Amino acid sequence: MTNDTYLQILSHFALEENAVEATPFGNGHINDTLKVTTASGTAKYILQRINHLIFRDVDMLQNNIHIVTSHIRRKLEERNETDIDRKVLTFLPAKDGKQYYHDGTNYWRVCRMIPDSKSLEEITPELSYEAGKAFGDFQSMLADIPEGTLGETIPDFHNMAFRLQQFHDALKDDAAGRLYRVRPLVDEIEKRAKAMCIQEDLYREGKLKKRINHCDTKVNNILFDVNSGKVLCVIDLDTVMPGFVLSDIGDFIRTGANTGAEDDMNLDNVNVNMEIFKAYTRGYMETARSFLTPLEIGMLPYGGRLLTYMQTVRFLTDYINGDTYYKIHHPEHNLQRTKAQFKLLLSLEEHAEEMDGFMKEWL
């Protein structure tokens, strides 16, 4: 698209300043993101094309985000926080009052750019502690939103029973004729299946409740002040939806506490970094403890095993199906990912007693 096309799209939003240029920004994999510069020469806004092939109900998506950002803003005001506009994302409505603009083919949204902010990619114990505090506070501020208020932007995203059903369908079809090559991995998945569905069982029994989760708890989804280095706010709110608290801490353990890469070819590199786990958990419990039940607190390390198991299942399912979902860089990429995730799962299982014992501090 040309700059003139972007400016035409921006003209449908209630901008406070005239836009003059939109250029690609960031390294997101789902939506197309552009930085918008105004006549003053300052980057003031972010323009995004929403990937409606993944987020199929854009009304729900943007309504969720509006509810969440409005709720966080009220919480910050109640705390008498300063500089609130840098501590929560602000999305601008389209001129027709909607939270997005539809050009007939694509869906677009605009938010204010948060000045003097940066995101980070590195993982250190110190940064993990700050990330834990940030995501714990994010959940804590949203904990009093009544169940049923938000919709599921990706239905069954972290539903283990659903992921196992997809897996079993793949086994039955064996579309790519690869099943015979991965029988040992299939057996390992099957023998853990019942234990990995306990959160759904506990929910049905009324012992575990659904809460509002971020569902993509990577450190680069937090903005930091460029001068002080302090956390400003949590970003990338597309997957904020109802689920279990185990998802958010579990996904950080799976990604942030992994000493190797998600698709590491050398499995000796892949283990759980206990320093990262402990630092994140300390930060998380500092801000999230007030709303968690003893059952949830005790199960938090299980969340790491669950999300790692879930990703193992998803990668292997895609491999058996013939690589129809994840982008691959070579024919065995999904199998490589599966093996690396399973190695991390084994490491998490080896450290399970230590991780579970660490939670006793808060019980």
Side-chain angles (χ1 to χ4, degrees), residues 199-200 203 208-211 213 242-248:
Q199 66 175 359
E200 284 84 7
Y203 177 70
L208 199 64
K209 67 180 295 184
K210 288 191 175 181
R211 303 189 184 277
N213 295 313
F244 303 105
V245 293
L246 310 181
S247 290
D248 275 8

Side-chain angles (χ1 to χ4, degrees), residues 228-345:
S228 69
K230 292 183 178 179
V231 169
L232 288 174
C233 70
V234 170
I235 60 171
D236 198 354
L237 306 180
D238 289 336
T239 55
V240 176
M241 57 183 161
F244 303 105
V245 293
L246 310 181
S247 290
D248 275 8
I249 194 166
D251 211 25
F252 190 90
I253 293 169
R254 184 186 75 82
T255 56
N258 185 354
T259 59
E262 187 177 68
D263 58 354
D264 215 306
M265 295 185 69
N266 183 354
L267 299 184
D268 291 338
N269 293 336
V270 180
N271 288 288
V272 60
N273 184 320
M274 289 299 293
E275 276 193 272
I276 297 293
F277 161 73
K278 290 178 179 179
Y280 183 88
T281 303
R282 284 194 189 98
Y284 179 78
M285 291 304 298
E286 189 174 310
T287 52
R289 184 179 183 178
S290 62
F291 71 88
L292 295 173
T293 66
L295 177 62
E296 287 172 321
I297 293 171
M299 289 184 69
L300 289 177
Y302 166 82
R305 302 192 289 275
L306 171 63
L307 268 292
T308 304
Y309 173 83
M310 185 182 298
Q311 200 56 55
T312 304
V313 170
R314 293 184 67 188
F315 284 144
L316 187 56
T317 298
D318 200 33
Y319 179 74
I320 294 169
N321 281 335
D323 310 308
T324 60
Y325 185 81
Y326 293 105
K327 291 180 180 178
I328 58 170
H329 301 302
H330 55 84
E332 299 296 290
H333 199 179
N334 272 321
L335 182 57
Q336 179 182 321
R337 289 163 167 158
T338 301
K339 290 177 178 178
Q341 288 294 284
F342 183 65
K343 175 58 177 3
L344 178 60
L345 177 62

